[in-house]
Amino acid sequence: METGRGQGGKKGRKPTISKLTPLLRTMGYTNLASLMGKNPEVAIFRRFSALNAKNLLYLQAELVNLEARLQRYAADSANSRNGVYEIDWFALSRSEKDGDRRQWDTFLEIRAKLKEYNDALCQQVMTSGFGKPNRRDLDFLRTWQQKAKAEKLFLIGQDHDVWESSDDLIALQPRKESDFFSQWLTGAFVYWLYRKVVFKDPEKGASPVNINPSSASQLEDEYIRVSDSKLLRTADLITTVISSVLPIASVIILYFVHSKLARLGVVAGFTALFSLTLGTMTASRRVEIFAATAA
């Protein structure tokens, strides 16, 4: 399926549609779209930042030239008997009667170009607001693609490596930014749990690279979907419990410690632990952590 040089130095040819099996015809874009539709967080696309910027630059240059042309025609009209155009729009719009529609035609061209420019500008502002894909989601998508490529079931055009670089990618529905503990619980911990506890056999489940697809949908059906919302609720519960236990634990320990120096050490230790907990288990800002620790 891949193009390249075969034996004898001859270039390989891409397979034609008629030579593709029914399975291959249903993989590629169809299965990738199905994966993205069921898992919006992996709906990752290129932003084309450079091309969008170049498009805006070209539109801007066209408008600058049209503006200069309009100003030139307006100056010519002001120095002739058609000077009324500057104070009478109706006369300008009917300027064909005077045999000179250059100024009005140029403005109509500017109007169309302005709409195109403003639309492109608004779209660029909108796409700039899309967040970058989550690293785990991008890694998952790349792994999924690598397996499809290994089975000769992925894209074969020039867009086959779009997701290799993460510099110009956006996610339509990126995961919400969360604290370090929530990221660990929904990421590394879940992966470890399914790989080492739920599926102790490395040949079963949990690993995207251990899929041997026999149907168009099996590539995605073999994966395990875990709800982030349930895991985040678990993280909130754990955080709430810890936030309640820490003050009580500090009081109990201080009750049994009689040495003043030891008590100072306990206070310092629990203060540092409290700050560490705030920094890793909440989305607090630095100033909020300082304020809470000082209190």
Side-chain angles (χ1 to χ4, degrees):
M1 296 257 321
E2 296 180 354
T3 59
R5 293 186 179 274
Q7 295 180 353
K10 295 181 179 180
K11 291 186 177 180
R13 294 183 179 179
K14 291 184 179 179
T16 61
I17 296 298
S18 60
K19 294 182 180 180
L20 295 178
T21 66
L23 173 60
L24 268 64
R25 295 176 189 174
T26 54
M27 299 301 284
Y29 294 112
T30 300
N31 217 38
L32 181 57
S34 176
L35 177 73
M36 291 181 172
K38 294 178 181 178
N39 305 276
E41 64 274 6
V42 297
I44 300 170
F45 302 92
R46 270 197 65 182
R47 193 193 305 268
F48 292 103
S49 301
L51 287 179
N52 276 307
K54 182 176 287 189
N55 182 49
L56 285 172
L57 289 171
Y58 286 157
L59 289 171
Q60 177 179 261
E62 290 181 72
L63 282 169
V64 168
N65 282 275
L66 286 171
E67 182 184 33
R69 188 197 307 172
L70 179 65
Q71 292 173 348
R72 186 169 65 251
Y73 291 156
D76 293 342
S77 299
N79 296 327
S80 66
R81 59 186 180 87
N82 298 326
V84 69
Y85 292 165
E86 288 297 319
I87 57 176
D88 189 351
W89 164 85
F90 186 80
L92 176 61
S93 64
R94 298 295 186 271
S95 56
E96 71 274 2
K97 295 181 179 180
D98 300 325
D100 186 6
R101 280 183 53 90
R102 294 179 303 168
Q103 186 175 341
W104 181 241
D105 287 344
T106 301
F107 186 80
L108 292 179
E109 190 176 352
I110 288 175
R111 177 181 293 172
K113 190 62 63 177
L114 268 177
K115 184 180 186 306
E116 184 180 356
Y117 176 78
N118 289 333
D119 287 346
L121 197 62
C122 290
Q123 290 173 6
Q124 179 74 337
V125 171
M126 182 176 65
T127 55
S128 297
F130 284 118
K132 290 187 175 182
N134 180 274
R135 182 180 59 82
R136 284 192 292 116
D137 295 330
L138 184 57
D139 289 343
F140 168 82
L141 185 60
R142 287 170 175 168
T143 304
W144 187 92
Q145 293 166 2
Q146 288 299 325
K147 180 58 184 177
K149 288 179 180 178
E151 298 292 337
K152 311 285 188 188
L153 300 175
F154 197 58
L155 310 180
I156 60 175
Q158 292 188 356
D159 58 338
H160 70 280
D161 60 348
V162 164
W163 297 272
E164 293 302 319
S165 174
S166 58
D167 295 335
D168 195 36
L169 297 177
I170 59 174
L172 297 188
Q173 189 176 320
R175 296 177 189 267
K176 294 181 179 179
E177 292 294 331
S178 56
D179 55 86
F180 175 81
F181 176 69
S182 298
Q183 292 178 9
W184 173 80
L185 185 66
T186 58
F189 175 75
V190 170
Y191 183 81
W192 172 85
L193 180 67
Y194 276 90
R195 288 288 292 158
K196 303 298 182 181
V197 180
V198 180
F199 297 106
K200 294 183 180 180
D201 186 349
E203 294 300 322
K204 293 183 179 179
S207 177
V209 298
N210 291 323
I211 298 171
N212 185 20
S214 59
S215 67
S217 61
Q218 191 175 344
L219 260 178
E220 61 182 90
D221 291 340
E222 290 285 344
Y223 294 111
I224 299 169
R225 297 180 179 88
V226 181
S227 173
D228 266 9
S229 59
K230 294 180 180 179
L231 290 172
L232 290 175
R233 282 197 295 269
T234 302
D236 291 340
L237 178 62
I238 295 174
T239 302
T240 301
V241 171
I242 291 178
S243 66
S244 302
V245 169
L246 275 180
I248 297 174
S250 64
V251 172
I252 293 175
I253 292 176
L254 286 172
Y255 177 79
F256 290 100
V257 175
H258 302 290
S259 170
K260 292 183 178 180
L261 184 61
R263 284 192 168 195
L264 289 175
V266 170
V267 171
F270 270 96
T271 301
L273 182 60
F274 178 71
S275 300
L276 180 64
T277 303
L278 281 179
T280 58
M281 305 188 76
T282 69
S284 302
R285 296 176 300 171
R286 289 187 183 134
V287 62
E288 295 171 339
I289 295 175
F290 273 111
T293 304

